[in-house]
Amino acid sequence: MGIEGEAGVGAAAGIDTSRASIARVYDMFLGGKDNFAADRQVYETIQAVAPQGDEVAKSIRRWLIRVVRHLAGFEVGIDQFLDIGSGLPTVENTHEVAQRNNAEATVVYVDNDATVAAYGRALMEENDHTHFATSDLRDPAALLATPQVAKLDFDRPMVLIQCATLHHIDDEADPAGFMKHYVDALPSGSYLAISHWWDPGDELPEGHRMARELEQRWRESSMGTGRYRTRAEIAELFAGLELVEPGLVELNDWWPDGPRLRETSLVERLILGGLAYKP
Ligand SMILES: C[S@@+](CC[C@H](N)C(=O)[O-])C[C@H]1O[C@@H](n2cnc3c(N)ncnc32)[C@H](O)[C@@H]1O
């Protein structure tokens, strides 16, 4: 479809096709097809520096699946999940993984992207225990007050997921500050899962250089956001919680499913994941 045709389709669905959307660009890295010219331009700009970008997106999804499977499984047995910045539907969505372990697990997805709202809602709301809300994660009070989130029982443990979301939030929005609001709202016994782009600094100098280059490209794109934060900055997002083993680590090092069969590329190393417990 030509760009003008795409703009027509976008307008019909209430989507501004002149700017890239991280939900659609990320979906491209996962092999999805719901994208417009502005998204493809960002995708190509990033692939030019980090051709293994697709592997990063897949690592992120695999990490999320391992986290949800662990928490929904018999060992922990949590049955409430709040997946914020959930993205476009893909293979093995949070509710599919959680409900495979417990068919009655409640999953609430939240995103503020028009494409996710337009195309995702029907798929995400495919059963009575799965819900979708449109809300901006930078405003925890409003997000937590949506009727869909209110379906969760805040007197029982739940899992709050911020998977590959907070690095799209600028420092001015104070992610550590608003994450404290979410953590305060969580009942005791809950968990917080975060994956976040990482600038390794002196720990991995070639990774530091790539993180700086990628951050500049994301920020200069029509999306205008993207932050590779330090380990200390990411750790701050878990303030007040206890990180469970193995702590805040590269995604492929977080309870891998089995032996590593290929080398992890540099760009794949530039994201950390952690799971923390609220005593
Ligand atoms: C990289 S995607 C990650 C999707 C999914 N969490 C995953 O890990 O596969 C980032 C998602 O966060 C959403 N997002 C970004 N900023 C947001 C905001 N301020 N409020 C709500 N969602 C936001 C985007 O629309 C997008 O769907």
Side-chain angles (χ1 to χ4, degrees):
M1 189 186 303
I3 292 175
E4 279 172 25
E6 289 188 341
V9 170
I15 295 163
D16 174 5
T17 59
S18 66
R19 292 168 64 92
S21 128
I22 183 54
R24 295 192 304 263
V25 174
Y26 179 71
D27 186 60
M28 284 188 76
F29 281 107
L30 288 170
K33 304 282 176 255
D34 285 324
N35 52 72
F36 299 106
D39 307 313
R40 296 191 281 277
Q41 197 174 14
V42 177
Y43 175 85
E44 279 153 24
T45 303
I46 298 303
Q47 285 290 77
V49 177
Q52 296 89 358
D54 300 18
E55 285 305 326
V56 181
K58 287 182 196 135
S59 297
I60 292 171
R61 293 301 308 178
R62 288 192 212 108
W63 177 80
L64 177 61
I65 290 166
R66 296 199 298 281
V67 168
V68 174
R69 194 178 56 206
H70 168 66
L71 294 171
F74 68 90
E75 207 165 324
V76 184
I78 292 196
D79 63 357
Q80 307 193 90
F81 294 79
L82 176 53
D83 186 348
I84 299 181
S86 46
L88 283 164
T90 180
V91 283
E92 292 290 78
N93 299 291
T94 298
H95 73 282
E96 291 162 317
V97 181
Q99 291 169 359
R100 193 175 301 133
N101 287 276
N102 176 354
E104 299 202 343
T106 303
V107 177
V108 180
Y109 293 110
V110 182
D111 208 293
N112 70 341
D113 185 276
T115 312
V116 177
Y119 300 119
R121 194 185 298 265
L123 263 178
M124 293 300 201
E125 290 189 331
E126 68 184 8
N127 62 49
D128 290 347
H129 301 290
T130 308
H131 312 281
F132 177 84
T134 300
S135 197
D136 190 318
L137 66 87
R138 291 169 293 186
D139 185 350
L143 187 152
L144 294 171
T146 59
Q148 293 85 351
V149 174
K151 289 179 191 292
L152 298 167
D153 178 354
F154 277 79
D155 289 328
R156 291 195 305 111
M158 61 181 69
V159 183
L160 175 63
I161 299 168
Q162 288 277 10
C163 184
T165 51
L166 296 171
H167 48 236
H168 297 295
I169 304 298
D170 286 336
D171 293 348
E172 294 72 56
D174 186 19
F178 70 66
M179 281 310 297
K180 188 173 177 325
H181 189 131
Y182 285 112
V183 168
D184 285 348
L186 288 177
S188 159
S190 296
Y191 287 83
L192 169 65
I194 299 177
S195 59
H196 194 300
W197 287 342
W198 176 46
D199 178 344
D202 293 342
E203 220 177 296
L204 184 64
E206 69 272 32
H208 167 65
R209 285 191 290 278
M210 183 179 265
R212 291 295 101 224
E213 171 73 33
L214 286 170
E215 182 172 300
Q216 192 180 345
R217 286 180 175 238
W218 284 108
R219 297 184 76 79
E220 286 173 356
S221 78
S222 62
M223 267 174 38
T225 62
R227 282 283 284 116
Y228 283 77
R229 295 193 165 94
T230 64
R231 185 183 288 279
E233 286 171 324
I234 302 169
E236 226 186 304
L237 303 169
F238 293 98
L241 304 177
E242 294 172 2
L243 275 165
V244 302
E245 271 187 70
L248 187 55
V249 294
E250 293 174 29
L251 298 188
N252 290 345
D253 292 336
W254 197 94
W255 295 107
D257 270 339
R260 197 162 293 175
L261 299 176
R262 62 173 178 84
E263 204 180 325
T264 304
S265 65
L266 184 59
V267 67
E268 243 181 300
R269 299 188 61 188
L270 302 183
I271 178 160
L272 299 182
L275 177 68
Y277 174 74
K278 182 167 179 177

